[in-house]
């Protein structure tokens, strides 16, 4: 069986399950094999019941006590039973698994592994797996892959089909054996087998190393060719005068930082240069990227061309639209807005103005570029928070019409050495200086016992008319629980701070529902926004002064820094409370870095150096989800190896790789 064969060729996949796979964008056998686990579960030692905390995946050892209760509800059956160890007792629940009742024998020691959730006031364990002590000891030595699931596809179904695919599919390794040996990389087949059916942590790392190498290799070939393409293109949108920029500068109530001046000078030189700009403006949250973007947009308009600014969310689009209008309208520049939630008529109108050249600067969401938008003479595209963009998207920008200048803006504090590899196709401008008027965000690392005080702190700030964010503990096992988890947390919070107006936000909400909540929060209609990490880059509210992050140790420092950047955006003193869920000293030490460090780049470097081997399969380390499995920060060594390999290719090898990359529809990397 071939890599490109449809999955329905596999035994056990009929039209119905093919539909479920389709939702996961798995169409071919190769897609299935490349559907890598999101992470790996390790089987930790059991914990005493009295120490359990909400939101955790835990294992407890004890016995069932009392009679199991089976009731039927509107949504199906609910089986409950009490479970006890020497330190306490807890309720256990299973939905739609009535058959488990037989297994709930009293007085026999078993291990339960499941998620701790809150059931009104008390904790309970939801849907745990049941193990005998012997079996669990075995499991403790292994890793278990966790796949992203969808309705109608269980983890065991996926595992079964992956096994079938591994048996049936020819996996030809494009990398010559000699090269593999030299680089110390596994064969492709072995790597695929191991990531799906891990034997040990060590071997799984080896497998990931190989697959990450391929992803990086492919990526680096892609950007090298992208770079070559753009270098040969002439600058069709030269902009040489900067009177508009000077006028904006004069209108500001502050003076630009040295870094802002330097970065704009670099951009202005590109705009006037021989080939289109391909530049990344990297600057920490709050470093003042927006005004630099405004200067660039005003400059391109002065030369008679249009500019556009793309941002990740609708709320940000509206905020930027207001800000740009305020700055640019006095210069006679017309700013337009285009977002998904506008009515069809509004969109049509906005598009028409654009194609006629009546709108000179357009602000819109990233999604905008998936559709066709016609400009009269688009000269500059600025993409804010670009770190979610891969080579394909970058290439697509260049394809749009006449190869305009492109400026990507990112706050992702990835170490410079990595940035140079990931953005090799781009010139780099660094905003490495914060505006001087900034108050430092006061950051505290506390343990769960501090929570009542933290709530009181929130309440005080709300009373003072300020707003707060609370980032909920992560729910990992099943995304379906995410919504409940956020809602439950909000309920608890409501009891603690009764007069607070609380909004909730999570990844399971529709885009428009998310948008509504963010907008209401920005308008001051909520005091607290309880959220998952979806707010990472999507919101900018100057009146928000406190962010409380639960289970902080489960995030990478870079992510925490990014989240913390949601506050401290106005003139008021802001605060970040990092609540540590585990008692680990190592975790505490890692978090403490944030108490003193304020520079995102330094934090990213530190994170890299402090990371222990145990973190390998857990924390997602960077916001880059351009890659399926590779993580540029975690796998920095492999990235460097791939870079060296790509750089070392002869011209002929490289040409071949590019050609095959384009021709290769099978998803395999070709050497
Ligand atoms: P980011 O780089 O995170 O996008 P913004 O562009 O949103 O940062 O800027 C954050 C805030 O800092 C804004 O309120 C902006 O007006 C302000 N700001 C930008 N540059 C300066 C400066 N040189 N001096 C003082 N305040 C500035
Ligand atoms: Mg910004």
């Amino acid at each position: 069986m071939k890599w490109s064969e449809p999955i329905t060729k596999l035994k056990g996949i009929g039209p119905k399950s093919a539909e479920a796979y389709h939702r996961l964008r798995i169409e071919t056998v190769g897609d299935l094999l490349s559907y890598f686990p999101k992470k790996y579960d390790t089987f930790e030692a059991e914990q005493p019941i009295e120490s359990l905390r909400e939101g955790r995946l835990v294992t407890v050892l004890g016995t069932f006590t009392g009679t199991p209760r089976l009731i039927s509800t509107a949504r199906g059956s609910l089986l409950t039973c009490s479970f006890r160890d020497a330190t306490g007792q807890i309720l256990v629940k299973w939905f739609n698994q009535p058959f488990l009742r037989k297994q709930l024998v009293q007085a026999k020691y078993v291990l339960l592994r499941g998620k701790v959730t809150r059931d009104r006031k008390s904790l309970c364990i939801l849907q745990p797996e049941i193990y005998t002590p012997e079996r669990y000891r075995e499991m403790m030595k292994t890793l278990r892959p966790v796949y992203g699931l969808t309705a109608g596809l269980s983890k065991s179904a996926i595992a079964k089909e992956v096994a079938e695919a591994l048996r049936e599919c020819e996996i030809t390794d494009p990398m010559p054996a000699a090269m593999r040996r030299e680089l110390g990389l596994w064969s492709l087949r072995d790597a695929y087998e191991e990531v799906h059916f891990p034997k040990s942590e060590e071997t799984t790392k080896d497998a990931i190393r190989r697959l990450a190498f391929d992803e990086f290799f492919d990526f680096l070939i892609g950007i090298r060719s992208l770079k070559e393409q753009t270098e040969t293109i002439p600058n069709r949108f030269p902009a040489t005068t900067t009177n508009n920029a000077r006028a904006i500068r004069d209108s500001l109530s502050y003076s630009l930082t040295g870094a802002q001046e330097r970065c704009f000078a670099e951009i202005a030189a590109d705009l006037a240069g021989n080939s289109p700009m391909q530049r990344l403006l990297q600057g920490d949250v709050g470093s003042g990227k927006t005004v630099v973007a405004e200067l660039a947009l005003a400059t391109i308009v002065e030369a008679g061309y249009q500019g556009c600014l793309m941002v990740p969310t609708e709320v940000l689009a509206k905020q930027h639209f207001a800000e740009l209008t305020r700055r640019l309208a006095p210069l006679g520049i017309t700013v337009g807005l285009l977002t998904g939630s506008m009515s069809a008529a509004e969109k049509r109108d906005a598009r028409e103005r654009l194609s006629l050249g009546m709108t000179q600067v357009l602000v819109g969401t990233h999604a905008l570029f998936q559709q066709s938008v016609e400009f009269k003479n688009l000269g500059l595209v600025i993409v804010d928070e670009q770190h979610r963009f891969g080579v394909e998207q970058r290439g697509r920008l260049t394809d749009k019409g006449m190869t305009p200048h492109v400026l990507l803006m990112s706050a992702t504090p990835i170490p410079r050495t990595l940035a140079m590899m990931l953005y090799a196709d781009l010139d780099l401008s660094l905003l490495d200086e914060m505006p001087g008027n900034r108050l430092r965000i006061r950051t505290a690392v506390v343990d769960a016992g501090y929570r009542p005080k933290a709530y009181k702190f929130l309440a005080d700030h709300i009373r003072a008319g300020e707003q707060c964010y609370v980032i909920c503990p992560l729910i990992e096992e099943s995304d379906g629980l995410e919504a409940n988890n956020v809602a439950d947390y909000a309920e608890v919070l409501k009891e603690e701070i009764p007069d607070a107006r609380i909004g909730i936000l999570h990844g399971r909400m529709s885009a428009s529902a998310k948008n509504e909540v963010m907008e209401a929060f920005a308008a001051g209609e909520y005091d607290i926004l309880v959220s998952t990490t979806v707010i990472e880059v999507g919101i900018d509210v100057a009146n928000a002064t406190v962010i409380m992050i639960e289970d902080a140790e489960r995030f990478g420092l870079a992510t925490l820094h990014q989240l913390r950047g949601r506050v401290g955006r106005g003139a008021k003193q802001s605060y970040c409370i990092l609540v540590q869920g585990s008692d680990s000293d190592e975790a505490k030490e890692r978090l403490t870095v944030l108490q003193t460090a304020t520079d995102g780049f330094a934090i990213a470097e530190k994170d890299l150096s402090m990371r222990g081997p145990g973190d390998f399969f857990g924390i997602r380390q960077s916001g880059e989800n351009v890659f399926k499995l590779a993580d540029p920060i975690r796998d920095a060594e492999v990235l460097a190896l791939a870079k060296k390999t790509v750089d070392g290719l002869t011209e002929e090898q490289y040409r071949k790789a590019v050609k095959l990359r384009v021709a290769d529809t099978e998803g395999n990397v070709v050497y």
Side-chain angles (χ1 to χ4, degrees):
M1 190 176 291
K2 290 239 165 6
W3 187 264
S4 55
E5 218 97 49
I7 42 165
T8 44
K9 283 272 167 82
L10 290 168
K11 245 195 272 130
I13 300 191
K16 189 134 172 271
S17 45
E19 215 169 274
Y21 281 107
H22 172 75
R23 280 198 298 276
L24 299 174
R25 296 207 199 99
I26 299 171
E27 317 287 349
T28 65
V29 177
D31 292 342
L32 179 62
L33 288 176
S34 309
Y35 195 67
F36 300 121
K38 281 198 304 198
K39 60 169 207 131
Y40 293 89
D41 266 353
T42 48
F43 291 73
E44 310 290 341
E46 66 270 11
Q47 295 178 18
I49 286 176
E50 65 174 6
S51 74
L52 297 187
R53 297 233 305 98
E54 194 183 342
R56 284 299 151 74
L57 179 66
V58 298
T59 303
V60 291
L61 170 63
T63 53
F64 289 106
T65 144
T67 328
R69 259 164 50 98
L70 181 65
I71 54 172
S72 52
T73 71
R75 281 185 292 165
S77 78
L78 171 65
L79 176 64
T80 59
C81 194
S82 280
F83 191 78
R84 180 168 66 191
D85 71 5
T87 70
Q89 188 165 320
I90 191 164
L91 189 70
V92 183
K93 287 186 187 176
W94 289 272
F95 292 108
N96 297 326
Q97 284 168 281
F99 46 85
L100 284 179
R101 187 184 193 163
K102 290 194 292 293
Q103 288 188 43
L104 311 186
V105 252
Q106 293 193 26
K108 197 173 118 196
Y109 274 89
V110 290
L111 291 116
L112 302 184
R113 183 171 186 272
K115 186 69 90 185
V116 181
T117 57
R118 190 171 290 277
D119 173 53
R120 294 198 198 88
K121 277 269 154 180
S122 52
L123 296 178
C124 69
I125 301 182
L126 200 59
Q127 311 274 70
E129 295 157 355
I130 308 173
Y131 297 94
T132 62
E134 302 73 43
R135 175 85 183 113
Y136 197 79
R137 297 295 159 238
E138 270 314 299
M139 299 297 284
M140 280 178 75
K141 294 174 200 143
T142 64
L143 297 172
R144 191 167 57 177
V146 179
Y147 294 98
L149 301 176
T150 181
L153 270 189
S154 65
K155 43 189 162 187
S156 55
I158 291 185
K160 187 167 150 278
E161 291 309 329
V162 168
E164 175 75 10
L166 281 169
R167 253 192 314 274
E168 296 294 328
C169 183
E170 300 160 34
I171 302 178
T172 41
D173 194 335
M175 193 190 290
M179 182 172 169
R180 271 196 329 251
R181 261 196 307 279
E182 194 189 316
L183 299 175
L185 293 170
W186 279 28
S187 81
L188 207 51
R189 166 166 280 282
D190 291 348
Y192 275 111
E193 273 180 17
E194 184 66 27
V195 281
H196 290 295
F197 298 97
K199 291 188 201 62
S200 71
E201 287 193 17
E202 271 327 295
T203 47
T204 307
K205 278 185 195 172
D206 283 337
I208 289 178
R209 201 164 166 270
R210 167 61 205 266
L211 297 169
F213 182 92
D214 283 25
E215 280 199 271
F216 288 139
F217 184 91
D218 186 55
F219 174 84
L220 292 168
I221 292 285
I223 54 179
R224 181 165 155 187
S225 78
L226 195 62
K227 185 174 166 70
E228 282 178 3
Q229 282 166 40
T230 48
E231 268 171 2
T232 56
I233 296 170
N235 177 2
R236 296 198 179 87
F237 307 96
T240 48
T241 52
T242 53
N243 298 319
N244 273 348
R246 191 164 325 117
I248 291 180
R249 239 201 235 91
D250 291 343
S251 77
L252 294 173
S253 58
Y254 50 81
S255 49
L256 296 180
T257 62
Q260 284 170 321
E261 291 284 5
R262 175 172 41 76
C263 289
F264 177 61
E266 288 164 1
I267 290 165
D270 283 357
L271 295 178
N274 294 325
S275 47
M277 170 163 69
Q278 291 287 320
R279 185 169 288 278
L280 175 68
L281 176 63
Q282 211 175 29
D284 216 341
V285 277
S287 59
K289 292 184 288 295
T290 315
V291 68
V292 176
E294 285 168 351
L295 296 173
L297 290 166
T299 305
I300 204 74
V301 171
E302 186 173 335
Y305 310 117
Q306 290 168 300
C308 108
L309 173 68
M310 295 193 292
V311 298
T313 63
E314 293 228 8
V315 185
L316 279 179
K318 283 181 194 153
Q319 288 179 338
H320 277 95
F321 170 69
E323 159 74 14
L324 260 61
T325 305
R326 197 158 64 84
R327 291 269 170 247
L328 302 180
L331 304 179
I333 299 175
T334 3
V335 184
L337 177 68
L338 186 58
T339 68
S341 73
M342 283 164 52
S343 73
E346 285 171 325
K347 278 187 207 159
R348 203 178 321 115
D349 186 53
R351 285 188 186 191
E352 191 163 298
R353 292 166 156 277
L354 210 56
S355 62
L356 294 173
M358 288 157 73
T359 298
Q360 290 162 300
V361 170
L362 180 75
V363 182
T365 47
H366 287 166
L368 207 90
F369 257 70
Q370 313 312 50
Q371 311 144 16
S372 69
V373 180
E374 214 179 293
F375 288 83
K376 181 156 178 265
N377 54 5
L378 178 63
L380 169 63
V381 177
I382 303 184
V383 188
D384 199 7
E385 306 298 355
Q386 82 65 237
H387 65 283
R388 289 170 203 281
F389 273 67
V391 179
E392 264 63 43
Q393 284 92 334
R394 281 189 224 163
R396 209 174 308 146
L397 290 180
T398 317
D399 293 343
K400 274 230 170 326
M402 303 267 294
T403 59
H405 299 286
V406 176
L407 179 67
L408 306 174
M409 306 204 293
S410 167
T412 311
I414 52 170
R416 194 178 164 80
T417 44
L418 294 188
M420 307 252 292
M421 292 188 268
L422 291 174
Y423 304 121
D425 57 324
L426 305 171
D427 298 308
L428 205 54
S429 286
L430 272 186
L431 270 183
D432 49 6
E433 184 186 347
M434 280 287 168
N437 62 352
R438 237 359 93 63
L439 284 172
R440 189 168 148 173
I441 301 166
R442 298 227 178 103
T443 303
V445 181
V446 301
D447 56 35
Y450 185 85
R451 227 185 255 128
K453 279 194 207 146
Y455 292 149
K456 185 167 174 311
F457 190 78
L458 299 190
D460 289 345
H461 282 265
I462 290 166
R463 219 164 297 123
E466 296 166 17
Q467 290 165 281
C468 311
Y469 298 103
V470 177
I471 308 299
C472 268
L474 290 166
I475 283 280
E476 287 169 9
E477 187 72 341
S478 146
D479 294 336
L481 292 176
E482 183 185 320
N484 283 335
N485 184 49
V486 174
D488 287 353
Y489 194 101
E491 234 160 77
V492 172
L493 201 57
K494 182 87 206 156
E495 281 171 28
E496 300 283 342
I497 315 177
D499 30 318
R501 296 163 302 163
I502 301 174
I504 63 174
L505 196 66
H506 55 78
R508 277 306 172 106
M509 289 161 66
S510 72
S512 66
K514 270 191 231 165
N515 189 45
E516 251 169 54
V517 172
M518 287 198 258
E519 231 162 72
F521 185 74
E525 289 162 25
Y526 292 121
D527 302 305
I528 305 180
L529 188 58
V530 177
S531 167
T532 57
T533 54
V534 293
I535 65 159
E536 201 175 321
V537 294
I539 195 163
D540 186 349
V541 179
N543 190 45
T545 56
V546 185
I547 184 164
M548 172 171 171
I549 303 174
E550 291 277 2
D551 279 356
E553 77 280 3
R554 299 217 267 161
F555 298 100
L557 291 185
T559 304
L560 289 172
H561 177 67
Q562 198 78 11
L563 285 169
R564 173 168 72 173
R566 294 310 97 204
V567 299
R569 307 184 76 81
K572 294 190 197 114
Q573 176 63 54
S574 292
Y575 303 87
C576 172
I577 305 170
L578 301 172
V579 185
Q580 192 187 353
S582 81
D583 313 319
S584 136
D585 290 339
E586 250 173 81
K588 173 135 198 157
E589 193 190 326
R590 206 167 61 88
L591 291 178
T592 310
V593 168
L594 290 170
Q595 267 175 214
T596 44
T598 54
D599 170 32
F601 293 94
I603 289 169
E605 302 272 4
K606 191 85 191 165
D607 201 12
L608 206 54
S609 69
M610 289 179 84
R611 190 135 356 93
D615 297 330
F616 192 80
F617 300 104
I619 310 171
R620 197 187 68 168
Q621 293 300 345
S622 71
E624 283 283 352
N625 42 18
V626 167
F627 303 104
K628 277 195 184 141
L629 171 137
D631 179 326
I633 295 186
R634 181 193 67 189
D635 307 320
E637 169 262 339
V638 188
L639 175 57
L641 188 66
K643 171 79 174 148
K644 203 170 132 215
T645 309
V646 169
D647 287 349
L649 294 179
T650 63
E651 191 58 27
E652 190 191 344
Q653 285 172 319
Y654 166 69
R655 292 279 152 237
K656 201 169 130 206
V658 173
K659 210 151 104 214
L660 290 171
R661 186 179 185 274
V662 175
D664 173 35
T665 51
E666 307 214 328
N668 270 328
V669 180
V670 186
Y671 296 85

